[in-house]
Amino acid sequence: MSFQITFNNETKTYENPVSVLDIVGKDKDIVCAYVNRRVRELTYIVDKDAEIIPLTTKDRDAKPLYEASLRFLVAMAMHNIYPDINIRFSYNVSRSIFMQILNPHVCSNGMMVRDLQEEMNRLVELDLPLVRKIVSKEEAARIFDKDGYDDKKAILAYRPEKTAHIYECNGYRNYMYNRMVPSTGYIKKWRVRYYHPGIIIQYPRTETNGEIPPFEDAPTFGKTLKRAHQWAKATGCDTIVGINKRIEKDGDIDFITLCEQNHNRQLCELGQMIEDGREDIRLICIAGPSSSGKTTFANRLRIELLARGIEPIRISMDDYYLSKDKVPLDEFGKPDLESVDALDIQLFNDNMADLIAGLEVQLPKFDFKLGKRVPGRKLQVPTDQPIIIEGIHALNEKMTASIPNHQKFKIFIAPQAQVNIDDHNPLSLTDLRLLRRIVRDYQFRGSSALDTISMWSSVRKGEFTWIYGTQEGANFVFNSFSAIELSVMKKYAMPLLEEIDPENEFFPVAERLIRMLKFFDDMPDKWVPCNSIIREFIGGSCYEDA
């Protein structure tokens, strides 16, 4: 039976099944395609009416496929030149992949970087096909066992399907839990550089129009990731298998307590730093990207400080929003509420300076029904009482330019997970926050997963513009990730994600999140404390009305 395919506004009739590659041609800038709005590999076979839209590294839904293909290429190149070296991928500074050497007493160096670059270039030049195979889980286990991938074999026990996928390229086999480009010749854009104690691999980003962004070191962020990795490794929570086994071995209560204690330890350390500097510190600034747990953290920090005889007061930056008619517009002509210029910067500076000077201040209160500020409470703050401000712009120097630096203590909060499916497949920090937001928005705002996903790119744009650049100036970075959270949130998130129609343009995102969640054992939230950061997203927080 004949069928029609529309591509580049032209519709043709076909009598026999045809691959996407046959339709789009051999332009290696095209790495995958939408086939009836679903992301498909270029090797995908079409046998019914379809609309095909090519995707490049400029496109949002092509990024995960290209990045997974690049990790495959790196792993294959390392296997070829250093077959006895085991590697592990994670995400790191400058929106890049970090390759760590797992072998004891083996360190990366400039020679290894040079060898890796040469082998990767050779493989790209050869344009070797990447062939996808579907095998039973038992066969996959035998393959991984033979190839020495114990980590990949272990995760198969938690795979709900009876089959698994393997990609083979010139005799090398691996699986990156994603679709792939058809051959190594498509993996043209990457940079490799030495970054002690491992190697950084940069790749094209959607937010830089499909190009590789300039490398930007971020020592504070890097130290936070290192600390997160050390904790995860020490507790066996650096892989999904490790987390599942911890639940099975320790039980719910012990594992929940273990994870909460990690947050308690950070709060204790932070409280001590503020206590040590209490003679100078008057303004405690808390910022972080969406769904970092800022509200719960600010409340828990307040309690930590109260326990040290310090009585902070909280002031909401939201009360300093300009009226809607004065908010700057974005490139689409809509009010840009993510912009720092949507706030009355001068009034905030004046109020904070006067409070710190001991003067009484008439604070504003933003009336969201009226869409403008109205008079709020009058406040006078004793000299030994610090002020806590929390918001996406709390670390922006514009907001506190009138306050001397030695009187400010800056805290950046974000979930910094260092968890892998296996050594070659790290979990995305961004996807973790997106899951948090999907669950929270449904629980508290009645929003569907589709609603949240559809606005996520706008949220991310605001984060890159206004938030991430402030992290390096922080005095303390709080890691709000909890090793239990994906196991706990799974029962909340999965039904919401599964509701999204496969024909919807945002289905690829939902599909990616489902692929990640499905490996986690379910965990009941019965014993999760009411002051846990996780409660901010699943409900039941004692701070909901705070």
Side-chain angles (χ1 to χ4, degrees), residues 76-89:
M76 180 179 178
M78 285 296 293
H79 172 79
N80 289 350
I81 56 179
Y82 298 110
D84 296 326
I85 288 181
N86 298 316
I87 61 172
R88 182 186 180 108
F89 294 125

Side-chain angles (χ1 to χ4, degrees), residues 38 95 190 198 227 259-260 288 304 314 339 384 427 446 533:
R38 294 189 67 172
R95 293 170 273 177
W190 44 266
R227 182 174 178 176
C259 296
E260 289 298 314
E304 175 68 31
R314 291 181 63 187
S339 170
D384 62 346
L427 296 190
I533 284 176

Side-chain angles (χ1 to χ4, degrees), residues 450-490:
L450 185 58
D451 293 334
T452 302
I453 294 172
S454 65
M455 64 182 291
W456 188 241
S457 60
S458 175
V459 172
R460 291 282 289 155
K461 181 181 177 182
E463 291 171 353
F464 282 115
T465 304
W466 301 111
I467 298 176
Y468 290 127
T470 67
Q471 177 172 332
E472 288 303 301
N475 300 100
F476 190 92
V477 179
F478 185 89
N479 180 7
S480 66
F481 174 70
S482 174
I484 64 170
E485 65 179 89
L486 290 169
S487 300
V488 168
M489 287 198 297
K490 180 179 177 180

Side-chain angles (χ1 to χ4, degrees), residues 277-420:
R278 66 185 300 178
E279 290 186 4
D280 290 325
I281 297 170
R282 298 303 313 283
L283 200 61
I284 299 172
C285 314
I286 303 171
S290 175
S291 303
S292 290
K294 293 185 290 292
T295 301
T296 300
F297 168 73
N299 278 291
R300 288 184 64 171
L301 177 59
R302 182 179 64 86
I303 299 300
E304 175 68 31
L305 296 179
L306 286 173
R308 296 172 181 272
I310 303 170
E311 298 192 17
I313 186 168
R314 291 181 63 187
I315 291 178
S316 174
M317 296 184 73
D318 288 350
D319 289 326
Y320 288 84
Y321 269 108
L322 298 169
S323 56
K324 192 173 181 179
D325 60 315
K326 295 180 180 178
V327 171
L329 304 179
D330 61 18
E331 66 269 34
F332 304 108
K334 296 181 180 180
D336 187 2
L337 297 177
E338 302 290 328
S339 170
V340 69
D341 295 313
L343 297 166
D344 193 329
I345 297 172
Q346 187 61 55
L347 179 62
F348 187 82
N349 267 281
D350 291 345
N351 283 177
M352 294 305 105
D354 287 345
L355 286 171
I356 288 172
L359 301 176
E360 184 180 67
V361 173
Q362 171 81 63
L363 296 177
K365 175 72 176 176
F366 195 88
D367 189 318
F368 286 91
K369 290 183 180 178
L370 295 176
K372 64 179 183 179
R373 294 195 304 263
V374 297
R377 57 179 168 157
K378 288 186 177 181
L379 185 65
Q380 190 170 16
V381 182
T383 56
D384 62 346
Q385 189 173 27
I387 301 166
I388 293 178
I389 60 170
E390 172 250 309
I392 63 173
H393 299 298
L395 301 192
N396 191 310
E397 275 300 310
K398 277 188 175 183
M399 297 303 302
T400 58
S402 62
I403 313 301
N405 283 333
H406 71 278
Q407 290 189 299
K408 293 182 283 194
F409 191 93
K410 298 181 177 181
I411 303 168
F412 189 91
I413 174 174
Q416 312 287 15
Q418 289 289 278
V419 180
N420 282 45

Side-chain angles (χ1 to χ4, degrees), residues 27-55:
D27 180 355
K28 286 186 166 56
D29 285 335
I30 299 173
V31 296
C32 58
Y34 287 133
V35 178
N36 291 335
R37 295 188 178 182
R38 294 189 67 172
V39 177
R40 298 293 189 184
E41 295 171 307
L42 296 181
T43 54
Y44 179 76
I45 301 300
V46 184
D47 59 3
K48 59 183 178 181
D49 291 351
E51 179 187 21
I52 294 178
I53 301 173
L55 300 175

